[in-house]
Amino acid sequence: MLSSSARLLRLLSLLAARPSWTCAELAGRMAVTDRTVRRDIAKLRDLGYTVDSDAGPWGGYRLRAGTRVPPLILDDEEALAVAVGLRGAALGGALGGDQAALSALLKLRQVLPPRIAERLGEWDDALVRLPWPEEPQLRPGMLLELAAACRRGERARLSYRDGQGRHTVRDVDPYRLVHTGRRWYFVARDVARGWRTFRADRVERLRPTGHPVEITDPPDPAEFVSRNTANGPYPLSATIRLPLPPADALRVVPATVGTHRADGPDATIVEIGGPDADGLARYLLGLGTPLRVLAPDSVREALVRRARELAHDNEEHARSVGAARNSSGPPPE
């Protein structure tokens, strides 16, 4: 039979595993009586855990989220998943530097069962990381500050450094954080300029003003960031139609390159920014998939011109190869 402390940890693990349990279900999983379950629930409450309950034969027990951090009871696969996630955070700096993630990873590895530690070591040995160019990293804690500002629902004073290194201070109404896979973006309504996206690694300070705000008619944050990062810096934008469903179109043109909208179930309209018509034409030819340029005419004409040049070059290459073969004579018998 489990000791009282071990039974309480087992009970906590079960309560954290799903939203609700009946008393009979808990008793069956723990191989104890209903009375023991009720007594252990009372002990958890005495220890400070908030366990809600519903009366009646179909009632149940629920561990209320956010009242206290319970001990984590992880199975083998969960422990490995947490360790791999911490390693990814440490390598990528998504949490504003690697020290916190590395510290947590070291603590976790000290208590991992040998079989899980061995699997994690095998993953480490197989991992090869292609380094990114040197880029500013998030200041430690900034991501949490931005997330808290989005939840708080009040205006904030943002100190920001733009891509040209200019420092500005502006009042914003925080809304959402968006992660593109490489960078974090802060979506907020600039009181003076309207909706804006800010690179989180360029935020120097965010101070709450105590002025409550209500966000009305906000943009879709993911689409808004996609549109601004894909088309914002470029002087020219092209609209194309891909004969692919949206999910397949995203694999051809990532969301960080173009903005997508469905055109029926089997086609997608994509807007892509570029430096000029020739540059966009080169990119579109490189996609290697059928497409139609809807606008502008300059990109359509550049695409046709480059396609003809490519076809002409291929014909010239084929003729030169054929001539070389003919000049070499018949193969020896």
Side-chain angles (χ1 to χ4, degrees):
M1 181 176 292
L2 291 174
S3 67
S4 177
S5 58
R7 199 173 61 242
L8 289 180
L9 286 175
R10 173 64 173 158
L11 179 56
L12 267 176
S13 174
L14 290 172
L15 290 171
R18 75 185 207 193
S20 179
W21 294 84
T22 66
C23 184
E25 288 173 331
L26 290 172
R29 292 294 292 269
M30 298 175 64
V32 297
T33 64
D34 290 4
R35 182 179 178 183
T36 300
V37 170
R38 288 192 290 269
R39 187 168 58 243
D40 287 347
I41 290 291
K43 289 180 181 178
L44 289 179
R45 288 168 174 163
D46 290 340
L47 291 171
Y49 297 100
T50 304
V51 182
D52 294 327
S53 59
D54 296 321
W58 304 109
Y61 294 106
R62 298 185 308 278
L63 183 64
R64 187 185 301 174
T67 56
R68 185 167 178 172
V69 179
L72 289 177
I73 310 297
L74 304 176
D75 62 25
D76 288 359
E77 295 302 321
E78 290 170 338
L80 183 62
V82 171
V84 171
L86 287 171
R87 173 56 56 84
L91 290 175
L95 300 179
D98 59 2
Q99 292 305 311
L102 283 177
S103 176
L105 180 61
L106 289 173
K107 291 177 181 178
L108 179 62
R109 293 193 70 161
Q110 288 176 352
V111 297
L112 284 176
R115 60 186 180 277
I116 303 302
E118 183 178 348
R119 290 181 63 186
L120 183 61
E122 293 171 353
W123 185 84
D124 287 341
D125 292 340
L127 176 67
V128 177
R129 180 172 180 255
L130 183 65
W132 293 101
E134 288 296 324
E135 292 183 347
Q137 293 294 321
L138 276 165
R139 178 171 62 81
M142 176 54 71
L143 201 61
L144 293 178
E145 289 183 30
L146 295 174
C150 293
R151 293 194 303 267
R152 197 177 292 122
E154 67 180 54
R155 187 158 294 166
R157 187 145 294 159
L158 176 73
S159 298
Y160 187 73
R161 173 182 45 81
D162 65 17
Q164 286 71 46
R166 296 174 301 210
H167 295 262
T168 59
V169 177
R170 53 186 90 182
D171 287 342
V172 299
D173 299 334
Y175 181 55
R176 290 291 186 272
L177 280 171
V178 177
H179 190 221
T180 65
R182 184 176 176 182
R183 291 195 182 107
W184 287 92
Y185 289 88
F186 176 49
V187 179
R189 181 174 56 193
D190 187 316
V191 175
R193 306 178 188 179
W195 286 100
R196 291 290 187 272
T197 60
F198 303 95
R199 270 180 48 175
D201 57 271
R202 292 177 179 164
V203 176
E204 298 178 331
R205 190 176 180 186
L206 191 72
R207 292 171 294 172
T209 64
H211 175 66
V213 293
E214 182 179 354
I215 301 293
T216 58
D217 195 26
D220 178 273
E223 181 181 347
F224 188 66
V225 169
S226 175
R227 182 178 300 276
N228 279 276
T229 56
N231 302 326
Y234 298 109
L236 184 63
S237 178
T239 304
I240 66 171
R241 185 180 188 273
L242 295 172
L244 299 169
D248 294 336
L250 278 167
R251 285 190 281 269
V252 175
V253 180
T256 53
V257 175
T259 57
H260 302 63
R261 68 177 186 274
D263 186 26
D266 300 318
T268 307
I269 305 296
V270 184
E271 294 184 22
I272 304 174
D276 51 43
D278 282 338
L280 278 167
R282 285 195 299 270
Y283 176 79
L284 295 176
L285 278 175
L287 295 179
T289 189
L291 58 89
R292 183 176 5 141
V293 177
L294 303 180
D297 292 340
S298 60
V299 175
R300 186 184 305 112
E301 292 164 0
L303 182 63
V304 171
R305 182 172 61 254
R306 287 202 162 270
R308 287 174 177 168
E309 291 173 355
L310 183 61
H312 179 266
D313 291 343
N314 286 336
E315 290 174 0
E316 289 291 327
H317 178 70
R319 279 196 292 268
S320 64
V321 171
R325 287 176 178 172
N326 291 334
S327 64
S328 63
E333 296 182 3

